[in-house]
Amino acid sequence: MTMSAIPEEVARRRSREYARTRASNDLRETRARLAAGTSLKPEFEYELLTMFVRNELGAAVTMPALYALFALACMFWAPTVDAVIWLVIVIAAKVVLLDQGRRFLLAPPSQVNVRAWRRRFVIAELFSGLALACFALVGVRETLGASTEMIFSSHVFIFATLIVVLAIRTMFAASIPSILYAGTVPMTIAVVARLLLLDNSFYFALATMAVGIYLYFLFLARGLRSTALSMLEYRTEKDALIAELEEQKSVSDDARRRAETANTAKSKFLATMSHELRTPLNAILGFSEVMKSEMFGPIENPKYQEYVGNILESGKHLLHLINEILDLTRIESGRYELHEEPLRLADVIDECHRLLKLRADAKGIEVSEEASAELPVVWADQRAMRQICLNLMSNALKFTPKGGRIVLSVGATPDGGQFLSVRDTGPGIPADEIPKVLQAFGQGTLAHQTAEGGAGLGLAIVQNLIELHGGSLDLQSELRKGTDAKVVLPGFRVLRAMVPLQPLGQETHRARGTSPRPARQARLRARGGRDGGSDAAAPG
């Protein structure tokens, strides 16, 4: 298995494990929904119950205080004993509900039976609703024989109390309809029945309005429940997305560790193999050179001489390939150190021209240079820049046919940097193959058919070396017209001469508005007068 296939295989395995886990969770949730008798997810049911309980516990003080105000208000038309009894009953029902809520929150979520707890809260809320409904019965006998104004005031207050209770219970229990019904239906029925007993069109209208208001609050509770469910769904999706991202991060980290391990193993392997290959390769090159030069006597068979030449050329090619692989490995592993110094790119292309001149002449290729002597020096690694130029020029020599032309040029870029360019008149590279040839071991189809031997590492090394300098490689090519490979050094690599500072004495005299020359003559005359050697002291 190749190094690139390792992360893909890990990702596939993780994906299969994640799919199995998700399917198992979905099956478990379906079984729980069937057992709970509801279409909601079990965690949603638990969250809705939790919202209801927290709302009740949050109003543990305010609601009894509100009930106390109701009791005080009804003392204006009802006996005090009835109001106090009603207050005790409703607070007792509230205490039971709050106690069940505290027990629910203390229980571990994994051990909570949602269906059983929902039934408990419905019973507790029904008890509380019946206690609230008794408010409509407080002072019934006393109001029947009271004045019209007292009857009107008491019943309007009871109607307003119903609206307040419906609003509060809708806010608290809208997430669970069964609890909402248990807490609001008894009081609504009691208030409507009391209003209808008066046998008056006005109170009949109030009763009708009470029913309408109750239906409106049920509709409002339905909207609040939908909002709560949407919020829970969004939160669940967010949690699932976060979990999936964590899973993918774990997969990515695992793949990265495997890739780093494989890269370390590759580097160790190449370092070991370079030593193991170079040792016998040096012997092959040395002995083949001795045999080719016939140092210990002539080789009479010409075939043997040809074979020795082939062995020597193959050995040199193999050594060059090993060196390229090791250079690329050092660069990619970050162990390639730049030894920077001032240099001229024109000197670099001139040196590379001289090194490859014999090879160019052997193929009948014309090589010319285009460089300006006025270009400033650059701060770069001389060995790296020489290798860049040699690799680009070697590629041009490989692909340029006999009688072609290669131009080595150096110039300035618009942003203040400098470039080194190698242009040839070779077969060119198709535009869709340029990204491929810039990769390690990448070769174009047309170039592979017409070129000499090579491993496809030259341009990859060039690109990595110029990027170490903060520059870039720009490869422009057109079929049957040639290729232009240009490396660009950024502006901060160019060393520019500083403007000379003006002498301090001249700045002083210029500041005073005098010329330095008369001042110097005055000092010389004064010195001559003291020494007795001036013309003024000579006799007339």
Side-chain angles (χ1 to χ4, degrees):
M1 182 180 296
T2 62
M3 288 184 295
S4 60
I6 292 177
E8 297 178 0
E9 180 64 24
V10 173
R12 283 196 296 270
R13 292 179 180 176
R14 293 286 185 180
S15 178
R16 288 195 294 267
E17 292 177 2
Y18 178 73
R20 287 196 296 269
T21 304
R22 191 165 185 175
S24 177
N25 292 337
D26 291 342
L27 180 60
R28 193 182 304 111
E29 290 174 359
T30 303
R31 290 176 177 174
R33 287 198 297 270
L34 293 175
T38 175
S39 60
L40 297 177
K41 294 182 179 180
E43 59 268 22
F44 286 3
E45 283 287 338
Y46 177 80
E47 290 291 340
L48 293 175
L49 283 178
T50 303
M51 291 172 59
F52 167 74
V53 171
R54 288 176 178 171
N55 289 335
E56 291 292 339
L57 293 178
V61 177
T62 56
M63 290 305 299
L66 181 63
Y67 296 154
L69 291 177
F70 290 162
L72 289 174
C74 72
M75 289 179 184
F76 288 99
W77 70 83
T80 304
V81 177
D82 293 353
V84 172
I85 293 175
W86 174 81
L87 182 61
V88 171
I89 293 174
V90 75
I91 289 180
K94 189 69 174 179
V95 170
V96 172
L97 182 61
L98 293 177
D99 179 68
Q100 292 296 318
R102 292 188 181 95
R103 292 173 182 272
F104 173 79
L105 292 181
L106 291 176
S110 58
Q111 299 178 5
V112 171
N113 187 336
V114 177
R115 186 175 182 180
W117 275 104
R118 186 172 63 248
R119 189 185 308 111
R120 291 184 187 181
F121 286 126
V122 169
I123 295 174
E125 184 68 16
L126 181 61
F127 180 41
S128 178
L130 293 174
L132 287 172
C134 293
F135 184 76
L137 305 178
V138 174
V140 173
R141 290 173 297 178
E142 287 73 7
T143 55
L144 292 177
S147 63
T148 305
E149 182 178 357
M150 179 64 69
I151 295 174
F152 176 79
S153 301
S154 61
H155 286 82
V156 169
F157 184 81
I158 291 173
F159 179 78
T161 302
L162 173 65
I163 295 176
V164 173
V165 171
L166 289 179
I168 294 175
R169 301 318 299 166
T170 300
M171 287 191 302
F172 286 4
S175 57
I176 305 176
S178 56
I179 296 179
L180 178 63
Y181 300 150
T184 56
V185 168
M187 186 173 183
T188 304
I189 293 176
V191 171
V192 170
R194 179 165 180 172
L195 292 173
L196 293 177
L197 287 175
L198 296 176
D199 195 17
N200 186 288
S201 59
F202 173 76
Y203 297 113
F204 180 79
L206 281 183
T208 305
M209 187 179 297
V211 175
I213 291 175
Y214 179 69
L215 295 177
Y216 170 75
F217 276 115
L218 290 183
F219 176 77
L220 182 62
R222 183 178 179 182
L224 293 175
R225 174 180 168 83
S226 300
T227 302
L229 288 175
S230 299
M231 179 191 68
L232 292 176
E233 289 176 357
Y234 291 149
R235 190 176 68 180
T236 302
E237 291 177 0
K238 180 197 70 175
D239 294 340
L241 179 60
I242 293 175
E244 188 174 353
L245 290 176
E246 291 291 336
E247 180 72 18
Q248 294 301 323
K249 183 178 179 298
S250 175
V251 173
S252 177
D253 292 341
D254 192 10
R256 179 178 55 81
R257 286 192 295 267
R258 290 175 178 268
E260 290 176 351
T261 302
N263 189 43
T264 303
K266 179 196 73 173
S267 300
K268 291 181 179 180
F269 170 77
L270 291 175
T272 303
M273 290 305 297
S274 66
H275 174 73
E276 297 297 332
L277 290 174
R278 280 179 174 176
T279 301
L281 189 57
N282 289 332
I284 293 172
L285 292 175
F287 290 144
S288 60
E289 287 181 356
V290 169
M291 295 173 65
K292 184 175 181 62
S293 60
E294 299 179 348
M295 293 179 60
F296 300 107
I299 300 177
E300 297 179 356
N301 195 326
K303 272 294 182 183
Y304 287 162
Q305 292 181 349
E306 182 183 352
Y307 294 160
V308 169
N310 292 337
I311 292 172
L312 181 60
E313 291 299 324
S314 300
K316 289 181 179 179
H317 177 70
L318 181 57
L319 181 61
H320 177 70
L321 178 60
I322 292 173
N323 291 333
E324 284 189 335
I325 293 176
L326 292 179
D327 288 339
L328 186 62
T329 303
R330 281 198 300 270
I331 295 171
E332 290 180 347
S333 61
R335 292 182 294 178
Y336 191 97
E337 297 181 0
L338 296 178
H339 301 282
E340 298 162 315
E341 57 181 322
L343 59 92
R344 294 185 180 276
L345 294 182
D347 297 337
V348 173
I349 64 172
D350 183 66
E351 183 181 358
C352 295
H353 184 189
R354 285 187 281 103
L355 289 174
L356 298 179
K357 181 175 176 55
L358 293 177
R359 183 176 170 188
D361 293 342
K363 290 190 65 174
I365 298 175
E366 178 188 354
V367 180
S368 60
E369 299 180 19
E370 295 179 357
S372 173
E374 299 178 356
L375 288 175
V377 297
V378 295
W379 186 255
D381 187 330
Q382 185 172 4
R383 177 178 175 273
M385 296 307 298
R386 187 189 304 116
Q387 187 173 2
I388 288 173
C389 185
L390 287 174
N391 285 5
L392 295 179
M393 193 171 174
S394 297
N395 281 347
L397 288 173
K398 287 179 184 178
F399 302 128
T400 304
K402 186 175 181 180
R405 187 168 181 264
I406 297 176
V407 180
L408 309 177
S409 59
V410 173
T413 59
D415 59 353
Q418 290 188 17
F419 69 87
L420 187 155
S421 173
V422 178
R423 300 193 306 272
D424 63 65
T425 57
I429 307 172
D432 57 340
E433 293 185 359
I434 289 181
K436 177 182 178 182
V437 301
L438 292 176
Q439 297 176 357
F441 302 101
Q443 291 181 326
T445 54
L446 182 59
H448 182 73
Q449 297 173 3
T450 60
E452 302 171 2
L457 294 174
L459 290 178
I461 294 176
V462 169
Q463 188 172 25
N464 282 276
L465 287 177
I466 198 62
E467 286 177 355
L468 289 179
H469 287 80
S472 61
L473 168 63
D474 182 20
L475 189 64
Q476 300 292 334
S477 183
E478 189 174 353
L479 287 176
R480 291 176 292 277
K481 290 188 178 181
T483 302
D484 182 8
K486 179 190 296 184
V487 291
V488 180
L489 287 174
F492 67 83
R493 288 278 176 185
V494 180
L495 303 180
R496 294 175 177 81
M498 294 181 62
V499 179
L501 296 175
Q502 201 168 21
L504 183 60
Q506 294 184 10
E507 292 179 353
T508 304
H509 292 298
R510 185 172 291 108
R512 293 177 180 175
T514 60
S515 175
R517 192 174 188 86
R520 183 173 180 273
Q521 292 175 357
R523 287 197 298 271
L524 290 175
R525 285 197 298 270
R527 188 182 298 113
R530 287 195 302 271
D531 296 341
S534 64
D535 294 338

